[in-house]
Amino acid sequence: MRVALFVTCVNDALYPATGIATVRLLERLGVVVDFPAAQTCCGQPQFNTGYRRETVPLVRRTARAFEGYEYVVIPSGSCAAMVREHYPKFGETALPARTYELTEFLVDVLGVTDVGAYFPHTVTYHPSCHGLRSLGLGERPRRLLEAVKGLELRELPGAEECCGFGGTFAVKNSDVSAAMGQDKVRGAASTGADVLCGADNSCLMHIGGILRRQDAPQRALHIADILASTEEEPLL
Amino acid sequence: MSGTYLGMPSFPKAAKDAVHNVTLRANLRHATHTIRDKRAKAVAELEDWALLREAGKQIKDHTLRHLDRYLEQLESAVTAAGGTVHWAADAEEANRIVADLVKATGESEVVKVKSMATQEIGLNEALKAEGISAYETDLAELIVQLGDDRPSHILVPAIHRNRAEIRDIFERKMGSWGRPAPDGLSDSPAELAEAARLHLREKFLRAKVGISGANFMVAETGTLVVFESEGNGRMCLTLPETLISVVGIEKVVPGWRDLEVFLQTLPRSSTAERMNPYTSMWTGTADADGPRTFHLVLLDNGRTGTLADEVGRQALRCIRCSACLNVCPVYERAGGHAYGSVYPGPIGAILSPQLRGIQSEIDVSLPYASSLCGACYEVCPVAIDIPEVLLHLREKVVDQGGKGHRLEKTAIKAAGWILDHPAALAAVEKTASGTRGLHPGRPPGAGAWTADRELPELPAQSFRDWWKKNRT
Ligand code: SF4
């Protein structure tokens, strides 16, 4: 099976490890991964801030970059939601139907929950809002994590509450955003888990930024980073 | 809307104090989480909740589509039942009509049922200017009025107050408004409620004029409906000789069958009750019972303008249940006052800018007062897609330009160009990574981010670079 990876601009520039982990994970599962170089950003930051006109070229570019691929895999719930939920408003209907958020692709298309990963740590999972409410990822990420060898999953109190990132909301309403993030981090700390895991690096940039500011022992990791980790090549 | 909110600072500025007010945060968190959990249980009991939600949405949409027809039907029915209907284009006109009606009775006091529409138009202040005292009789509204405060929640206007604060307000203020608080008042809920009961009873028995809003108006019979939980509403609706109801034009429903849907969804969604405690319904006047004179003031105040907006009009479906406030993480931290309107929370963020126009500092900032998490849409009993309307209003804000957005627009355009040229993007990433040792820990302009958060560390190479080196 051949898929196109839409790595997203945030992962490309700031979290390449997540992109690399996604490639390794998919290849380990027998999938051939392509990276169409014409891809950049899905347009979500512009669209969510009210810049519809400025979003149009990015929507067109993305749709063109992934033409011809039966499966487009995105390791980001919010970018996948942007394509799925909002691209039709720009007249792009083909790409949304072929777009899968990573955990969706693994569980629904490949039909796997045990991806052969190894991660001997305690983990708590934060289901970011777009994955939770727009895409309806449901139990998929948790099922994948539960099947990881050595991993102990701990329930996150108030898991469904927003972490407060919200794109430009994080800077436009930075006080409220930080207060939400601090509450999220408090909940995560109460689990005593080593790792706070999510499926969206933009949320994790915000949560992780608070963890680092507080010198907290917990670290934020993308689910792809964990699922790519094996006994031969452990991440931590 | 009411002039009292003019000159409000933008949402982020107004929210700053609340975010750092530990007591307020604790009060709000406790209260919203309690109602939120109860509501979830009450809603889960109904197997057909999704259908009721869809029905509520469709009834409202249908009515709004034919609003002219239903309003005329309502007017005829109310008139036939002995009431008088007045039309008010804006707050000023509505206030004038009500003040004249009260003056015509020769009275200088009125008792009020909790009503959002009269708050919206600032009726109490307008009446005061005419020498008329308006007494709020809902417990929470009483607390707000005595405390010379503003409501911070649609359903629980004093949600920002705790019991000790309420006791202090009663002790200090009740005396100057009427019957004073009993000596040695404690902060037990029972004692506080009893103090309010005694204080209000005197007003109910004396009042000749009552003023209300309405949750619904049934067009086919001209019946008005008020939902409340304390019984104070029923006192105001039955004891006075004259009743004046000020109601937004979007509150009409075609018939009783439609009401049946909301009789189920509103109590469960607002107070988590299976059945509403006091549901008062009246049709014009009756000789043997209740007020002898009934006036209905139909209020527009920005509603027809909102109705003209294809995306924004769904905000008019709102039945003011407050579920979106109770579930909103931003409301929980910013508090209701930061929204600069009697309509706080997610519904306020989409309703206030539409009713008032996107002009003032607060109204320009409200569409951005959300992380777009979608929790509000999920709970709304009439399925208002609040995130969709927020995005729509953001587009309007951007389109009309304005100070704060010029710089942002330039930045977005520059980023847009880079993102439309992958080679340029790769070059930018390379330069950033190559010089990452030189970047200061907190680049200029990043202050809003770095006040409470670290910036991500720049990686040694972009994914794009890795791919090029390892897979091509
Ligand atoms: S928008 Fe929906 S959830 Fe919010 S108050 Fe109105 S009806 Fe209730």
Side-chain angles (χ1 to χ4, degrees), chain A residues 56-127:
Chain A
V56 176
L58 297 173
V59 171
R60 301 277 176 264
R61 156 172 296 282
T62 304
R64 245 182 295 122
F66 293 99
E67 247 164 35
Y69 285 98
E70 200 181 337
Y71 299 104
V72 177
V73 178
I74 309 186
S76 157
S78 63
C79 303
M82 171 71 192
V83 173
R84 181 96 46 86
E85 207 181 328
H86 299 303
Y87 273 33
K89 294 178 186 163
F90 294 86
E92 296 290 352
T93 48
L95 182 60
R98 297 182 276 114
T99 294
Y100 297 85
E101 183 276 337
L102 175 63
T103 66
E104 239 176 9
F105 180 76
L106 295 173
V107 176
D108 299 356
V109 180
L110 296 185
V112 289
T113 44
D114 184 350
V115 295
Y118 171 73
F119 193 73
H121 303 280
T122 48
V123 173
T124 189
Y125 180 74
H126 167 59

Coordinates of all heavy atoms in Angstrom, one line a residue, chain A residues 56-127:
Chain A
V56 N -7.2 30.6 0.7 CA -7.5 29.9 -0.6 C -6.3 29.3 -1.3 O -6.3 28.2 -1.7 CB -8.3 30.9 -1.5 CG1 -8.5 30.3 -2.9 CG2 -9.6 31.3 -0.9
P57 N -5.2 30.1 -1.5 CA -4.0 29.5 -2.2 C -3.5 28.3 -1.5 O -3.0 27.4 -2.2 CB -3.0 30.6 -2.2 CG -3.6 31.8 -1.5 CD -5.0 31.5 -1.2
L58 N -3.5 28.3 -0.2 CA -3.0 27.1 0.6 C -3.9 25.9 0.4 O -3.4 24.8 0.3 CB -2.8 27.5 2.0 CG -1.8 28.6 2.3 CD1 -1.8 29.0 3.7 CD2 -0.4 28.2 1.9
V59 N -5.2 26.1 0.3 CA -6.1 25.0 0.1 C -5.9 24.4 -1.3 O -5.8 23.2 -1.5 CB -7.6 25.5 0.3 CG1 -8.6 24.4 -0.2 CG2 -7.9 25.9 1.7
R60 N -5.8 25.3 -2.3 CA -5.5 24.9 -3.7 C -4.2 24.1 -3.8 O -4.1 23.0 -4.4 CB -5.5 26.1 -4.6 CG -6.8 26.9 -4.6 CD -7.9 26.3 -5.5 NE -9.1 27.1 -5.4 CZ -10.1 26.8 -4.6 NH1 -10.1 25.7 -3.9 NH2 -11.2 27.6 -4.5
R61 N -3.2 24.7 -3.2 CA -1.8 24.1 -3.2 C -1.9 22.7 -2.6 O -1.4 21.7 -3.2 CB -0.8 24.9 -2.5 CG 0.4 24.2 -2.0 CD 1.5 25.1 -1.4 NE 2.0 26.0 -2.5 CZ 2.9 25.6 -3.4 NH1 3.3 24.3 -3.4 NH2 3.3 26.4 -4.3
T62 N -2.5 22.6 -1.4 CA -2.6 21.3 -0.7 C -3.3 20.3 -1.6 O -2.9 19.1 -1.7 CB -3.2 21.5 0.6 OG1 -2.5 22.5 1.4 CG2 -3.2 20.2 1.4
A63 N -4.5 20.7 -2.1 CA -5.3 19.8 -2.9 C -4.5 19.3 -4.1 O -4.5 18.1 -4.4 CB -6.6 20.5 -3.3
R64 N -3.7 20.2 -4.7 CA -3.0 19.8 -5.9 C -1.8 18.8 -5.5 O -1.5 17.8 -6.2 CB -2.4 21.0 -6.6 CG -3.0 21.2 -8.0 CD -2.3 22.5 -8.7 NE -2.7 23.7 -8.0 CZ -1.8 24.6 -7.5 NH1 -0.5 24.3 -7.6 NH2 -2.2 25.7 -6.9
A65 N -1.1 19.2 -4.4 CA 0.0 18.4 -4.0 C -0.3 16.9 -3.7 O 0.5 16.0 -3.9 CB 0.6 19.0 -2.7
F66 N -1.6 16.7 -3.3 CA -1.9 15.3 -3.0 C -2.8 14.6 -4.0 O -3.4 13.6 -3.7 CB -2.5 15.3 -1.6 CG -1.6 15.6 -0.5 CD1 -1.5 16.9 0.0 CD2 -0.6 14.7 -0.1 CE1 -0.6 17.2 1.0 CE2 0.3 15.0 0.9 CZ 0.3 16.3 1.4
E67 N -3.0 15.2 -5.1 CA -3.8 14.7 -6.2 C -3.3 13.3 -6.6 O -2.1 13.0 -6.6 CB -3.7 15.5 -7.5 CG -5.1 16.2 -7.8 CD -4.9 17.4 -8.7 OE1 -4.0 17.3 -9.6 OE2 -5.6 18.3 -8.6
G68 N -4.2 12.3 -6.8 CA -3.8 11.0 -7.3 C -3.5 10.0 -6.1 O -3.3 8.8 -6.4
Y69 N -3.4 10.5 -4.9 CA -3.1 9.5 -3.8 C -4.4 9.0 -3.3 O -5.3 9.8 -3.0 CB -2.3 10.2 -2.7 CG -0.9 10.4 -3.1 CD1 -0.4 11.6 -3.5 CD2 0.0 9.3 -2.9 CE1 0.9 11.7 -3.9 CE2 1.4 9.5 -3.3 CZ 1.8 10.7 -3.7 OH 3.1 10.8 -4.1
E70 N -4.5 7.7 -3.0 CA -5.7 7.1 -2.5 C -5.8 7.4 -1.0 O -6.9 7.6 -0.5 CB -5.7 5.6 -2.7 CG -7.1 5.0 -2.7 CD -7.0 3.5 -2.9 OE1 -6.0 3.0 -3.5 OE2 -7.9 2.8 -2.4
Y71 N -4.6 7.4 -0.3 CA -4.6 7.7 1.1 C -3.6 8.8 1.4 O -2.5 8.8 1.0 CB -4.2 6.5 1.9 CG -5.1 5.3 1.7 CD1 -4.7 4.2 0.9 CD2 -6.3 5.2 2.3 CE1 -5.5 3.1 0.7 CE2 -7.2 4.1 2.1 CZ -6.8 3.1 1.3 OH -7.6 2.0 1.1
V72 N -4.1 9.8 2.1 CA -3.3 10.9 2.6 C -3.3 10.8 4.1 O -4.4 10.9 4.7 CB -3.7 12.3 2.1 CG1 -2.9 13.4 2.7 CG2 -3.7 12.3 0.6
V73 N -2.1 10.7 4.8 CA -2.1 10.5 6.2 C -1.5 11.7 6.9 O -0.5 12.2 6.4 CB -1.3 9.2 6.6 CG1 -1.2 9.1 8.1 CG2 -1.9 8.0 5.9
I74 N -2.2 12.2 7.9 CA -1.8 13.4 8.6 C -1.6 13.1 10.1 O -2.5 12.7 10.8 CB -2.9 14.5 8.5 CG1 -3.3 14.7 7.0 CG2 -2.3 15.8 9.1 CD1 -4.2 15.9 6.8
P75 N -0.4 13.3 10.6 CA -0.2 13.1 12.0 C -0.6 14.4 12.8 O 0.2 14.9 13.6 CB 1.3 12.8 12.2 CG 1.9 13.5 11.0 CD 0.9 13.6 9.9
S76 N -1.8 14.8 12.7 CA -2.3 16.0 13.4 C -3.8 16.0 13.2 O -4.4 16.1 12.1 CB -1.7 17.3 12.8 OG -2.6 18.4 13.1
G77 N -4.5 16.0 14.4 CA -5.9 16.0 14.4 C -6.5 17.3 13.8 O -7.5 17.2 13.1
S78 N -5.9 18.4 14.2 CA -6.5 19.7 13.8 C -6.3 19.9 12.3 O -7.2 20.5 11.6 CB -6.0 20.8 14.6 OG -4.6 21.0 14.5
C79 N -5.2 19.5 11.7 CA -5.0 19.8 10.3 C -5.9 18.8 9.5 O -6.4 19.2 8.5 CB -3.5 19.5 9.9 SG -2.4 20.6 10.8
A80 N -6.0 17.6 10.0 CA -6.9 16.6 9.4 C -8.4 17.2 9.4 O -9.1 17.1 8.4 CB -6.9 15.3 10.0
A81 N -8.7 17.8 10.5 CA -10.1 18.4 10.7 C -10.2 19.5 9.7 O -11.3 19.7 9.2 CB -10.3 18.8 12.1
M82 N -9.2 20.3 9.6 CA -9.3 21.4 8.6 C -9.6 20.9 7.2 O -10.5 21.4 6.6 CB -7.9 22.2 8.6 CG -7.8 23.2 7.5 SD -8.8 24.7 7.8 CE -8.7 25.5 6.2
V83 N -8.9 19.9 6.8 CA -9.1 19.3 5.4 C -10.5 18.7 5.4 O -11.3 19.0 4.5 CB -8.1 18.3 5.1 CG1 -8.4 17.6 3.8 CG2 -6.7 18.9 5.0
R84 N -10.9 17.9 6.3 CA -12.1 17.2 6.3 C -13.3 18.1 6.4 O -14.3 18.0 5.7 CB -12.1 16.2 7.4 CG -13.3 15.3 7.5 CD -13.1 13.9 6.9 NE -11.9 13.2 7.1 CZ -11.7 12.4 8.2 NH1 -12.6 12.2 9.1 NH2 -10.6 11.7 8.3
E85 N -13.2 19.0 7.4 CA -14.4 19.8 7.7 C -14.5 21.1 6.9 O -15.6 21.5 6.5 CB -14.3 20.2 9.2 CG -15.7 20.5 9.8 CD -15.5 20.9 11.3 OE1 -14.6 20.4 12.0 OE2 -16.3 21.7 11.8
H86 N -13.4 21.7 6.6 CA -13.5 23.0 5.9 C -13.1 23.1 4.4 O -13.5 24.0 3.8 CB -12.6 24.0 6.7 CG -13.1 24.2 8.1 ND1 -14.4 24.6 8.5 CD2 -12.5 24.0 9.3 CE1 -14.5 24.6 9.8 NE2 -13.3 24.3 10.3
Y87 N -12.3 22.1 3.9 CA -12.0 22.2 2.5 C -13.2 22.2 1.6 O -13.2 22.9 0.6 CB -11.0 21.1 2.1 CG -9.5 21.4 2.3 CD1 -9.2 22.3 3.4 CD2 -8.5 20.9 1.5 CE1 -7.8 22.6 3.6 CE2 -7.2 21.3 1.7 CZ -6.9 22.1 2.7 OH -5.6 22.5 2.9
P88 N -14.3 21.4 2.0 CA -15.5 21.4 1.1 C -16.0 22.8 0.9 O -16.6 23.2 -0.1 CB -16.5 20.5 1.9 CG -15.6 19.6 2.6 CD -14.4 20.4 3.0
K89 N -15.9 23.7 2.0 CA -16.3 25.1 1.9 C -15.6 25.9 0.8 O -16.0 26.9 0.3 CB -16.2 25.8 3.2 CG -17.0 25.2 4.3 CD -16.8 26.0 5.6 CE -17.6 25.3 6.7 NZ -17.1 25.6 8.0
F90 N -14.4 25.4 0.4 CA -13.6 26.0 -0.6 C -13.8 25.2 -2.0 O -13.0 25.4 -2.9 CB -12.1 26.0 -0.3 CG -11.8 26.9 0.9 CD1 -11.9 26.4 2.2 CD2 -11.5 28.2 0.7 CE1 -11.7 27.2 3.3 CE2 -11.2 29.1 1.8 CZ -11.3 28.5 3.1
G91 N -14.8 24.4 -2.0 CA -15.0 23.6 -3.2 C -14.1 22.4 -3.4 O -14.1 21.8 -4.5
E92 N -13.3 22.1 -2.4 CA -12.4 20.9 -2.5 C -13.0 19.7 -1.8 O -13.1 19.7 -0.6 CB -11.0 21.2 -1.9 CG -10.2 22.3 -2.6 CD -9.7 21.9 -4.0 OE1 -9.8 20.7 -4.4 OE2 -9.2 22.8 -4.7
T93 N -13.6 18.8 -2.6 CA -14.3 17.7 -1.9 C -13.5 16.3 -2.1 O -13.8 15.4 -1.4 CB -15.7 17.5 -2.5 OG1 -15.6 17.6 -4.0 CG2 -16.6 18.7 -2.1
A94 N -12.6 16.3 -3.1 CA -11.9 15.0 -3.3 C -10.9 14.7 -2.2 O -10.9 13.6 -1.6 CB -11.2 15.0 -4.6
L95 N -10.1 15.7 -1.8 CA -9.1 15.4 -0.8 C -9.7 15.0 0.6 O -9.2 14.0 1.2 CB -8.1 16.6 -0.7 CG -7.0 16.4 0.3 CD1 -6.1 15.3 -0.1 CD2 -6.2 17.7 0.4
P96 N -10.7 15.7 1.0 CA -11.3 15.3 2.3 C -11.6 13.8 2.4 O -11.4 13.2 3.5 CB -12.5 16.2 2.5 CG -12.2 17.4 1.7 CD -11.3 16.9 0.5
A97 N -12.1 13.3 1.3 CA -12.6 11.9 1.4 C -11.4 10.9 1.4 O -11.5 9.8 1.8 CB -13.4 11.6 0.1
R98 N -10.2 11.4 1.1 CA -9.0 10.5 1.0 C -8.1 10.8 2.2 O -7.0 10.3 2.3 CB -8.3 10.7 -0.3 CG -9.2 10.2 -1.5 CD -8.4 10.4 -2.8 NE -8.5 11.7 -3.4 CZ -7.4 12.5 -3.5 NH1 -6.2 12.0 -3.1 NH2 -7.5 13.7 -4.0
T99 N -8.5 11.7 3.1 CA -7.6 12.1 4.2 C -7.9 11.4 5.5 O -9.0 11.2 5.9 CB -7.8 13.7 4.4 OG1 -7.4 14.4 3.2 CG2 -7.0 14.1 5.6
Y100 N -6.8 11.0 6.1 CA -6.9 10.2 7.4 C -6.0 10.8 8.4 O -4.8 11.0 8.1 CB -6.6 8.7 7.2 CG -7.5 8.0 6.2 CD1 -7.4 8.1 4.9 CD2 -8.6 7.4 6.7 CE1 -8.2 7.5 4.0 CE2 -9.6 6.8 5.9 CZ -9.3 6.8 4.5 OH -10.2 6.2 3.7
E101 N -6.5 11.0 9.6 CA -5.6 11.3 10.7 C -4.9 10.0 11.0 O -5.4 8.9 10.8 CB -6.4 11.8 11.9 CG -5.7 12.3 13.1 CD -5.3 11.1 14.0 OE1 -6.0 10.1 13.9 OE2 -4.4 11.3 14.8
L102 N -3.6 10.1 11.5 CA -2.8 8.9 11.7 C -3.5 7.7 12.4 O -3.5 6.6 11.9 CB -1.5 9.3 12.4 CG -0.5 8.1 12.7 CD1 0.0 7.4 11.4 CD2 0.6 8.6 13.5
T103 N -4.1 8.0 13.6 CA -4.6 6.9 14.3 C -5.9 6.3 13.6 O -6.1 5.1 13.7 CB -5.0 7.3 15.8 OG1 -6.1 8.2 15.7 CG2 -3.9 8.0 16.5
E104 N -6.6 7.1 12.9 CA -7.7 6.7 12.1 C -7.2 5.7 11.0 O -7.8 4.7 10.7 CB -8.3 7.9 11.4 CG -9.7 8.2 11.6 CD -10.0 9.6 10.9 OE1 -9.2 10.1 10.1 OE2 -11.1 10.0 11.1
F105 N -6.1 6.1 10.3 CA -5.5 5.3 9.3 C -5.1 4.0 9.8 O -5.4 2.9 9.2 CB -4.4 6.0 8.6 CG -3.7 5.3 7.5 CD1 -4.4 5.2 6.2 CD2 -2.5 4.6 7.7 CE1 -3.8 4.4 5.2 CE2 -2.0 3.8 6.6 CZ -2.6 3.8 5.4
L106 N -4.4 4.0 10.9 CA -3.9 2.7 11.5 C -5.1 1.8 11.9 O -5.1 0.6 11.5 CB -3.1 3.0 12.8 CG -1.8 3.8 12.6 CD1 -1.2 4.2 13.9 CD2 -0.8 3.0 11.7
V107 N -6.1 2.3 12.6 CA -7.2 1.5 13.1 C -8.2 1.1 12.0 O -8.5 0.0 11.8 CB -7.9 2.1 14.3 CG1 -9.0 1.3 14.8 CG2 -6.9 2.4 15.4
D108 N -8.6 2.1 11.2 CA -9.7 1.9 10.2 C -9.2 1.3 8.9 O -9.8 0.4 8.4 CB -10.4 3.2 9.9 CG -11.1 3.8 11.2 OD1 -11.0 3.1 12.2 OD2 -11.6 4.9 11.1
V109 N -8.1 1.8 8.4 CA -7.6 1.3 7.1 C -6.7 0.1 7.2 O -6.9 -0.9 6.6 CB -6.9 2.4 6.3 CG1 -6.5 1.9 4.9 CG2 -7.8 3.7 6.1
L110 N -5.7 0.2 8.1 CA -4.8 -0.9 8.2 C -5.4 -2.0 9.1 O -5.0 -3.2 9.1 CB -3.4 -0.5 8.8 CG -2.6 0.4 7.9 CD1 -1.2 0.7 8.5 CD2 -2.4 -0.1 6.5
G111 N -6.4 -1.6 9.9 CA -7.0 -2.6 10.8 C -6.1 -3.1 11.9 O -6.3 -4.2 12.4
V112 N -5.1 -2.3 12.4 CA -4.3 -2.7 13.5 C -4.5 -1.9 14.7 O -4.8 -0.7 14.6 CB -2.8 -2.7 13.1 CG1 -2.4 -3.7 12.1 CG2 -2.4 -1.3 12.6
T113 N -4.3 -2.5 15.9 CA -4.2 -1.7 17.1 C -2.9 -2.0 17.7 O -2.3 -1.1 18.3 CB -5.4 -2.0 18.1 OG1 -5.5 -3.4 18.2 CG2 -6.6 -1.3 17.7
D114 N -2.4 -3.2 17.6 CA -1.0 -3.5 18.1 C 0.0 -3.3 16.9 O 0.0 -4.1 16.0 CB -1.0 -5.0 18.5 CG 0.4 -5.3 19.2 OD1 1.3 -4.5 19.0 OD2 0.5 -6.4 19.8
V115 N 0.7 -2.2 17.0 CA 1.6 -1.9 15.9 C 3.0 -2.4 16.2 O 4.0 -1.9 15.6 CB 1.6 -0.3 15.7 CG1 0.3 0.1 15.2 CG2 2.1 0.4 16.9
G116 N 3.2 -3.2 17.3 CA 4.5 -3.8 17.6 C 5.4 -2.8 18.3 O 6.6 -2.9 18.2
A117 N 4.8 -1.8 19.0 CA 5.7 -0.8 19.6 C 6.0 -1.3 21.0 O 5.4 -2.1 21.7 CB 4.9 0.5 19.7
Y118 N 7.1 -0.6 21.5 CA 7.6 -0.9 22.9 C 7.9 0.4 23.5 O 8.7 1.3 23.0 CB 8.9 -1.8 22.8 CG 9.6 -1.9 24.1 CD1 9.1 -2.7 25.1 CD2 10.8 -1.3 24.3 CE1 9.7 -2.9 26.3 CE2 11.5 -1.4 25.5 CZ 11.0 -2.3 26.5 OH 11.6 -2.4 27.7
F119 N 7.3 0.7 24.7 CA 7.5 1.9 25.4 C 7.3 1.7 26.9 O 6.2 1.8 27.4 CB 6.6 3.0 24.8 CG 6.9 4.4 25.2 CD1 8.0 5.1 24.6 CD2 6.1 5.1 26.1 CE1 8.3 6.4 25.0 CE2 6.4 6.4 26.5 CZ 7.5 7.1 25.9
P120 N 8.4 1.4 27.6 CA 8.2 1.0 29.0 C 8.0 2.2 30.0 O 8.9 2.4 30.8 CB 9.5 0.2 29.3 CG 10.5 0.9 28.4 CD 9.8 1.4 27.2
H121 N 6.9 2.9 29.8 CA 6.7 4.1 30.6 C 5.2 4.3 30.9 O 4.4 3.7 30.2 CB 7.2 5.4 29.9 CG 8.7 5.3 29.5 ND1 9.7 5.5 30.4 CD2 9.3 4.9 28.3 CE1 10.9 5.3 29.8 NE2 10.6 5.0 28.5
T122 N 5.0 5.2 31.9 CA 3.6 5.5 32.2 C 3.2 6.7 31.3 O 3.9 7.6 31.2 CB 3.3 5.8 33.7 OG1 4.3 6.7 34.1 CG2 3.4 4.6 34.5
V123 N 2.0 6.6 30.8 CA 1.5 7.6 29.8 C 0.1 8.0 30.1 O -0.8 7.2 30.5 CB 1.6 7.0 28.4 CG1 0.9 8.0 27.4 CG2 3.0 6.7 28.0
T124 N -0.2 9.3 30.0 CA -1.6 9.8 30.0 C -1.9 10.4 28.7 O -1.0 11.1 28.1 CB -1.9 10.7 31.3 OG1 -3.3 10.9 31.4 CG2 -1.2 12.0 31.2
Y125 N -3.2 10.3 28.2 CA -3.5 10.7 26.9 C -4.4 11.9 26.9 O -5.5 11.9 27.5 CB -4.1 9.6 26.1 CG -4.4 10.0 24.6 CD1 -3.4 10.2 23.7 CD2 -5.7 10.2 24.3 CE1 -3.7 10.6 22.4 CE2 -6.1 10.7 23.0 CZ -5.0 10.9 22.1 OH -5.4 11.3 20.8
H126 N -4.1 13.0 26.2 CA -5.0 14.2 26.1 C -5.6 14.1 24.6 O -4.8 14.3 23.7 CB -4.2 15.5 26.3 CG -5.0 16.7 25.8 ND1 -6.2 17.0 26.4 CD2 -4.7 17.6 24.9 CE1 -6.6 18.1 25.8 NE2 -5.7 18.5 24.9
P127 N -6.9 13.9 24.5 CA -7.5 13.9 23.2 C -7.8 15.3 22.8 O -8.7 15.9 23.2 CB -8.8 13.1 23.4 CG -9.1 13.3 24.9 CD -7.9 13.7 25.6

